[in-house]
Amino acid sequence: MSIKLYNSLTNKKEDFKPVEEGKVKMYVCGQTVYDNMHIGHGRTYISFDTIRRYLQYRGYDVETVINITDVNEKIDKRAKEEGNSAKEIAEKYTRINLEDFKSLGINAEAYPKASEYIEEMKEMIEKLIEKGFAYQSDGNVFFDVKKFADYGKLSNQKLEDLKSERDDIMDMESKKDQRDFVLWRSRDDYGGPTWESPWGEGVPGWHIECSAMSSRLLGEKIDIHGGGVDLVFPHHEDEIAQCEACNDKKPWVNYWMHSGLVRLEDEKMSKSLGNFVSTRELLKNHRPEVLRTLVVSTHYRKPLNYSEKLLNQAEKNFKTIENVLNSLEAEINSKDIIPEKLTDNDNKVRKKLFDKKKEFEKAMNNDFNTPKALKELLGIVKLANKYLKSGKTNLNVLKTLLSVLEELSWVLGVLPYSQGSEISPNSYLVEKILELREEVREEGEYELADRIREVVEKSGVKVEDTDKGVKWS
Ligand SMILES: [Zn+2]
């Protein structure tokens, strides 16, 4: 069954076909590191991480890059307000950003920082000037949008309808055309670091970093480019212009995907409105899995109306998933190792389970319809609870229920971290180390056994010696 996804470039649902068979290259625009991540950003990263997980579940080898914008006037502004250097602010919020990713279970193969790819950006700008797509003016370099025939293809705008790039107003005087956007900016008033360049000392424009980092890390053609819908114009439109003009590969991105905005009780959430809920704040009182449950309960392209009610519902749903996993494990542990023959009811339960699993996949294949997939998952939870209550359970059926539930919960990012998500300790390793400890103990080497236990516990794993052997959590 193929995966269909909505491509913002064509405004259609399309069959997903990767550039290279079995592989997916995905770039997601990340944080500008001058403040905590708000729930709107959190939603974007969780959505694309869920997409990554489902692609992995379907057997693709997924390579994800999420950038960190650590060169930006917003950082400079924040530094001035706080009386710190721009470098200190960028470093502080980069650390916080990466910690938040880790606690939310968001994974990428690389988190490149803009400040570490200045050479790549300069090379790209030079190439664009050489090819006639860009020009210099007063120490700045601008992209000449009239030279790029496809300009406006992502945001569905005609060049003649465009007025100016909204974030480049400060450079109006040196532009030939107000619609042109900045690639390199001469900045004598910039408080952050500046770099030497053939056009004078300055800083890169914002858009060029993603084009340069994506090309360097993922190659000149990629499968999926993601980000919040607020980035379509000008950011993504400009990224396309830069890459396709520079690299001659069209299209640079096969599928453009955009996640919807988050509204606070129906009001568009944005920092400028002071309407700001940080993921960090939420994580103080709620487990990360709850936040992920909340995000997947709305389709990624739709606006997410954040409310206490939605959060409570997510909390409740997550709890039922966690409880049934625990109950299944307890029931499995209480069973004899030799399973009995399957009864009619066992067979019925198994069939229902696989039907629901299929429905789950069908929902995810349809442009990652996570609310529908979550519904199917909760359906399996119900089925498992009913089966457990029936009083007659079979070891094999229990194990199948548990493994399907664990697998699908992992895809949605709602598998309790203690049950083995990517940020929990590697269960296989812990098991093996504890087995070794048992062997050492049996040979009377208690001191060594204690040291092994200490090491394991330092990694955050609790070890308990019980009558039935070693337990860990
Ligand atoms: Zn970007």
Side-chain angles (χ1 to χ4, degrees):
M1 231 184 334
S2 70
I3 299 173
K4 276 194 187 300
L5 51 83
Y6 186 86
N7 189 351
S8 317
L9 186 65
T10 56
N11 299 310
K12 273 198 299 248
K13 270 191 204 169
E14 295 175 5
D15 281 333
F16 177 67
K17 273 194 208 89
V19 175
E20 196 182 326
E21 214 187 302
K23 281 202 169 170
V24 180
K25 291 183 176 188
M26 177 156 87
Y27 186 96
V28 180
C29 290
Q31 285 286 103
T32 302
V33 282
Y34 71 104
D35 207 342
N36 283 329
M37 188 190 292
H38 68 65
I39 171 80
H41 298 132
R43 194 245 177 136
T44 298
Y45 308 129
I46 291 172
S47 297
F48 285 99
D49 191 71
T50 312
I51 289 168
R52 174 187 67 85
R53 286 175 186 231
Y54 186 64
L55 291 167
Q56 283 184 336
Y57 168 87
R58 288 289 306 265
Y60 288 105
D61 174 9
V62 188
E63 195 179 348
T64 313
V65 172
I66 307 176
N67 70 299
I68 291 169
T69 301
D70 63 346
V71 181
N72 193 286
E73 51 264 33
K74 286 180 187 153
I75 301 169
D76 182 33
K77 194 170 160 248
R78 182 68 185 250
K80 280 179 186 138
E81 282 164 15
E82 286 194 10
N84 278 325
S85 72
K87 192 168 175 270
E88 280 169 321
I89 293 292
E91 278 172 3
K92 176 181 162 192
Y93 287 105
T94 299
R95 183 178 47 76
I96 288 178
N97 185 192
L98 292 175
E99 277 172 16
D100 287 352
F101 278 167
K102 199 172 171 196
S103 50
L104 287 167
I106 291 157
N107 260 287
E109 276 59 43
Y111 304 97
K113 292 181 197 157
S115 63
E116 290 171 2
Y117 287 80
I118 303 290
E119 282 311 310
E120 283 80 355
M121 295 185 222
K122 287 198 285 191
E123 270 170 39
M124 212 165 187
I125 297 169
E126 243 168 316
K127 225 169 151 186
L128 288 169
I129 296 174
E130 243 173 65
K131 290 180 140 190
F133 288 103
Y135 61 91
Q136 300 180 52
S137 172
D138 305 332
N140 304 302
V141 182
F142 295 102
F143 190 99
D144 192 342
V145 295
K146 284 191 298 302
K147 298 272 170 67
F148 185 69
D150 281 345
Y151 197 76
K153 71 174 171 181
L154 181 69
S155 53
N156 289 312
Q157 302 182 84
K158 286 200 188 97
L159 198 55
E160 52 269 32
D161 299 334
L162 281 173
K163 291 210 170 63
S164 77
E165 289 276 324
R166 63 167 185 226
D167 59 340
D168 290 345
I169 292 167
M170 61 175 90
D171 305 297
M172 279 166 99
E173 284 149 35
S174 24
K175 279 186 193 179
K176 278 198 225 161
D177 183 319
Q178 291 314 311
R179 296 167 294 189
D180 295 345
F181 63 89
V182 71
L183 297 169
W184 188 266
R185 175 174 283 158
S186 92
R187 292 295 301 269
D188 30 35
D189 60 334
Y190 187 62
T194 50
W195 286 267
E196 286 290 338
S197 83
W199 323 288
E201 178 114 0
V203 288
W206 170 37
H207 316 302
I208 191 76
E209 73 178 76
C210 289
S211 296
M213 293 191 283
S214 176
S215 300
R216 170 52 60 97
L217 294 167
L218 296 172
E220 291 182 355
K221 207 165 163 51
I222 66 170
D223 298 292
I224 296 173
H225 193 312
V229 70
D230 50 335
L231 295 184
V232 170
F233 186 85
H235 187 52
H236 289 164
E237 194 71 61
D238 294 352
E239 281 188 36
I240 293 179
Q242 292 162 157
C243 273
E244 296 188 355
C246 182
N247 298 336
D248 292 325
K249 290 247 166 71
K250 266 187 201 183
W252 156 48
V253 174
N254 277 347
Y255 307 95
W256 280 91
M257 297 180 75
H258 292 99
S259 58
L261 298 176
V262 172
R263 295 161 204 274
L264 268 186
E265 304 273 7
D266 279 332
E267 195 180 327
K268 190 193 158 204
M269 217 175 95
S270 97
K271 284 190 220 180
S272 51
L273 293 172
N275 231 344
F276 176 88
V277 178
S278 75
T279 50
R280 213 148 242 245
E281 205 54 49
L282 281 172
L283 289 175
K284 276 188 197 156
N285 300 314
H286 303 279
R287 287 169 59 177
E289 302 96 314
V290 172
L291 212 58
R292 292 195 71 133
T293 311
L294 174 111
V295 170
V296 298
S297 60
T298 301
H299 188 262
Y300 76 91
R301 281 194 288 122
K302 293 213 172 107
L304 190 153
N305 292 316
Y306 174 82
S307 66
E308 283 298 314
K309 203 176 139 208
L310 203 67
L311 190 63
N312 292 339
Q313 186 57 48
E315 188 106 50
K316 215 178 107 202
N317 284 341
F318 171 66
K319 267 275 151 229
T320 63
I321 296 166
E322 184 173 50
N323 289 342
V324 81
L325 291 170
N326 289 335
S327 308
L328 282 168
E329 263 178 13
E331 180 85 354
I332 288 168
N333 288 336
S334 74
K335 288 263 168 195
D336 288 333
I337 294 175
I338 304 157
E340 293 163 29
K341 262 181 79 183
L342 294 179
T343 64
D344 282 352
N345 186 47
D346 293 335
N347 282 322
K348 233 163 66 192
V349 169
R350 276 173 62 103
K351 187 179 173 305
K352 274 192 188 156
L353 171 65
F354 288 112
D355 286 348
K356 287 193 183 299
K357 186 175 188 249
K358 229 179 239 155
E359 287 300 314
F360 177 99
E361 287 167 1
K362 221 165 110 185
M364 290 301 277
N365 289 338
N366 182 13
D367 194 28
F368 309 98
N369 188 346
T370 54
K372 175 84 177 29
L374 180 65
K375 210 178 127 215
E376 295 304 331
L377 179 69
L378 293 171
I380 299 177
V381 169
K382 226 178 189 173
L383 178 72
N385 275 326
K386 203 173 150 202
Y387 185 59
L388 284 164
K389 273 190 204 133
S390 73
K392 183 133 182 36
T393 56
N394 177 289
L395 185 61
N396 277 343
V397 180
L398 290 167
K399 281 187 173 169
T400 315
L401 274 165
L402 181 65
S403 76
V404 170
L405 271 169
E406 282 186 340
E407 203 180 15
L408 304 186
S409 306
W410 176 83
V411 170
L412 291 186
V414 302
L415 178 68
Y417 285 172
S418 59
Q419 242 110 354
S421 89
E422 282 160 295
I423 67 154
S424 77
N426 185 320
S427 346
Y428 174 79
L429 265 184
V430 174
E431 295 277 351
K432 289 292 153 199
I433 293 170
L434 290 178
E435 270 173 39
L436 271 178
R437 174 172 168 264
E438 279 309 288
E439 280 176 35
V440 173
R441 263 201 337 180
E442 275 163 27
E443 282 165 27
E445 296 204 46
Y446 298 110
E447 226 176 278
L448 183 57
D450 284 345
R451 270 175 54 205
I452 295 177
R453 179 191 177 136
E454 246 176 68
V455 170
V456 173
E457 290 199 319
K458 266 193 190 148
S459 76
V461 175
K462 205 173 154 240
V463 181
E464 244 183 303
D465 290 308
T466 70
D467 308 342
K468 287 181 187 161
V470 192
K471 275 196 168 169
W472 65 274
S473 55

